[in-house]
Every structure is written in structure tokens, then in C-alpha cells.
Amino acid sequence: MFAFNFNNTTMHIFYGKAPLITFLKSIKIGDSTIGFVPTMGALHQGHLALMKKSLQENDYTVVSIFVNPTQFNNPEDLAKYPRTIEEDIKKMTALNPEIILYAPTVEDIYEGQTVSQSFDFDGLENQMEGKFRPGHFNGVGTIVKRLFEIIEPTNAYFGEKDFQQLQIVKKMVSKNNLNVTIIGCPIFREANNLAMSSRNERLSIQERSEAAIIYQTLTAAKEKFKTNSAQWVTEWVRKSFEKNPSFSLEYFVIADEATLLPCFKKNKNKKYRAFIAVFINNIRLIDTISLN
Ligand code: PAF
């Protein structure tokens, strides 16, 4: 264990699972609860909101910072993923020094075999992110399951920006009968409504400001979906991005929130959500909005 001292407050930091497990066993008494916030670091207000919720709802809060190599299908994306551990520790200490941090090495997690397990998420993995980032959700499933085994949380907190990931984690928990409650939390947005993401750190000031178009498009699509079909709205979004040379649209999909299958014919009993992925200067941004 390592104790980080900032402004005279000390935070528990673990780089290996063995001392973390021993520590958690020593503090967990009776029916005390552990809230868990898994992250890949480069912490922003969205992450801190998940931590605040966990701190409010649990006796202990564990946060993990681990840039998981098996969920990256693009080596450049993995290499360029922001790594800001010292800043992250300062932010967490300022929020609440009682947060317990697990920042493992690749070796500590994968023990020499940096590969994903293969999962069946009942088809949720074949849409959107799964289609465009092959192997991504096997990597996410592998790391989240591994972290749950190590930390044994009572509650785990995930942001709705990665809505497909949230549904997939819920599916994994129910299929494997894992004893953890998954809690989805609303998207945090910057002043111009760009969804907060660690990848935003890679945007220039100009790109960050231009990226406001993503949420503007989603809210316009929501409005248009009231009176138009999913196909019509999808085509409208495609054409809007065609006019904007700064962006390349990877996908825009209107899908059933539960199954994530694309909507072909509206059914008033279903809940729909729009999902978008765009590139700006090779930086990939995603966002989502509930439509009804
Ligand atoms: O959403 C993320 O940051 C990651 O996918 C997660 C859940 C921490 C797993 O690496």
C-alpha cells in the first residue's frame, strides 16, 4: 500500500491486488457496503460525480484507474489515451481522501496473459461500439469481471455516456449471477454540452468548441424523431455531418434501449435512444440521448 499525502490528508493507494484484498477484508465488517467506480483515469467531473454518489450510498468507495489494453482495438488510441495519475490522485483527495484507489499494473491484472475472455452478451455486443470496435466488449467484460472479483463491491457505478457498456455490464452480472448492483448515472456535459470524456483532453480549444455540434445534432434528432421515422432521422444526421468537413460520422443509430437493436418501425411501448460516434481529427467521440 502507498499513502498519498496532499494538503495533510492521506489516501490509501494500492498498486497490487493482494494488499488491496487484505485491506478490504480488514475494514469490511458485518453488512458494510463497498461502492466501486471503475475508470481509466484522466478524471473529469463525470467521474467525480460517480464517486460522490458512491460515497453517499456506501460505507467505503473504491476507485480503480487502469487503462485496460484488451478493450482497445486501435493501438494508436491505446498509446494516446491520456494518463494523468498524479492529477487524478489530487482530484480524488480533494473530493474525499477516504476514497480507496486501486491503480494496478497490467501484470497485476493479467498475470502474463494479456488476453480477453470471450463473452456472450445475448447480441448486445454486436451493435454500434461492438460493430466498429471488434473485441472491445470482450475486453470490457474481462476487466470489469476481474475487478469485481478482486473488489467484491456491493454497488458499482457506470456513466450513461457509455450506455451500451452499461447494458453489457448489467447483462454480464445477471448471466454470471454476480452479487453486485449496477447503477447507471446521467451524462455530465461541458458548458457547450459536449459529453465529458477523458478523450476530450486530446481536443484543441477549437475542436472542443466545434464538437458542440454532436449534442446539437442529437437534440435536433430527438425533436425530428417525434414526427419522422428512424430511417429519415438517420439520413438527416448523415447529411448534416457530410456538410461538416471537420467531422467524420462513424455511426448514428436509433435503437431500442433494452435490446440495442436498430429501430425499423416505431413501437409506442418501447423506449428508444439515439447513439452517435464521430471522429474529429482522429479523435473518436461518442454520445447518446434518450428519445422518448
Ligand atoms: O468506461 C471505462 O472507463 C472503461 O470501459 C472501464 C469500465 C473502466 C473498463 O476498463
Side-chain angles (χ1 to χ4, degrees):
M1 185 185 79
F2 177 83
F4 180 82
N5 196 288
F6 175 69
N7 281 352
N8 290 325
T9 48
T10 307
M11 188 178 164
H12 293 297
I13 303 177
F14 296 87
Y15 297 104
K17 58 181 173 296
L20 172 69
I21 292 168
T22 309
F23 178 75
L24 291 177
K25 279 212 171 93
S26 75
I27 56 169
K28 206 167 175 282
I29 27 165
D31 54 5
S32 62
T33 57
I34 296 183
F36 174 45
V37 182
T39 82
M40 297 205 296
L43 301 178
H44 51 66
Q45 287 303 320
H47 293 119
L48 298 180
L50 300 181
M51 293 175 205
K52 271 186 209 155
K53 193 164 165 60
S54 173
L55 285 159
Q56 277 161 8
E57 296 179 355
N58 300 277
D59 297 309
Y60 303 103
T61 288
V62 179
V63 172
S64 65
I65 294 186
F66 180 63
V67 182
N68 173 36
T70 64
Q71 72 187 73
F72 285 82
N73 57 316
N74 176 346
E76 188 190 335
D77 195 22
L78 172 61
K80 292 199 171 154
Y81 201 86
R83 288 160 172 89
T84 56
I85 186 86
E86 281 175 18
E87 281 305 305
D88 292 345
I89 291 172
K90 281 185 191 154
K91 285 180 192 168
M92 281 184 286
T93 316
L95 177 67
N96 189 328
E98 285 178 10
I99 291 173
I100 300 157
L101 172 62
Y102 177 42
T105 58
V106 172
E107 178 57 33
D108 189 56
I109 292 289
Y110 285 102
E111 299 175 345
Q113 291 221 307
T114 313
V115 286
S116 297
Q117 192 184 326
S118 204
F119 290 91
D120 172 6
F121 298 114
D122 291 346
L124 293 176
E125 71 278 27
N126 299 329
Q127 310 301 322
M128 297 161 312
E129 292 299 284
K131 215 180 246 175
F132 288 92
R133 303 182 66 189
H136 171 66
F137 286 123
N138 279 334
V140 171
T142 303
I143 185 61
V144 173
K145 190 159 172 280
R146 189 84 200 95
L147 291 167
F148 284 175
E149 284 159 1
I150 294 167
I151 294 155
E152 297 187 353
T154 322
N155 300 303
Y157 298 80
F158 291 81
E160 283 183 353
K161 180 173 80 68
D162 298 293
F163 191 85
Q164 189 173 9
Q165 167 174 280
L166 173 64
Q167 299 294 69
I168 277 182
V169 170
K170 284 184 181 165
K171 179 68 76 180
M172 184 188 74
V173 165
S174 81
K175 285 191 111 176
N176 292 278
N177 291 318
L178 302 181
N179 195 13
V180 49
T181 304
I182 304 302
I183 298 166
C185 304
I187 300 177
F188 247 72
R189 297 187 178 276
E190 303 199 358
N192 69 356
N193 280 325
L194 172 65
M196 285 197 184
S197 160
S198 304
R199 287 191 175 82
N200 295 356
E201 301 248 319
R202 294 176 53 202
L203 299 171
S204 67
I205 292 172
Q206 164 84 13
E207 288 161 352
R208 212 176 252 244
S209 134
E210 281 185 55
I213 193 179
I214 301 170
Y215 187 67
Q216 281 160 13
T217 307
L218 285 181
T219 45
K222 178 173 177 150
E223 202 46 43
K224 291 185 190 299
F225 187 62
K226 287 182 184 157
T227 48
N228 294 281
S229 69
Q231 288 78 352
W232 189 93
V233 177
T234 306
E235 192 51 18
W236 175 81
V237 171
R238 192 185 63 74
K239 283 188 186 143
S240 314
F241 274 97
E242 241 173 37
K243 286 183 217 139
N244 196 324
S246 304
F247 293 90
S248 146
L249 178 68
E250 188 168 64
Y251 65 74
F252 172 85
V253 176
I254 292 180
D256 178 330
E257 239 184 52
T259 62
L260 301 182
L261 290 172
C263 162
F264 291 112
K265 194 170 181 300
K266 275 191 215 175
N267 175 337
K268 64 176 177 7
N269 299 319
K270 288 190 172 172
K271 280 192 69 109
Y272 294 106
R273 191 169 261 279
F275 297 85
I276 192 166
V278 297
F279 283 95
I280 175 164
N281 186 20
N282 259 345
I283 302 158
R284 190 170 185 279
L285 302 174
I286 64 170
D287 202 348
T288 177
I289 194 170
S290 158
L291 297 179
N292 59 336

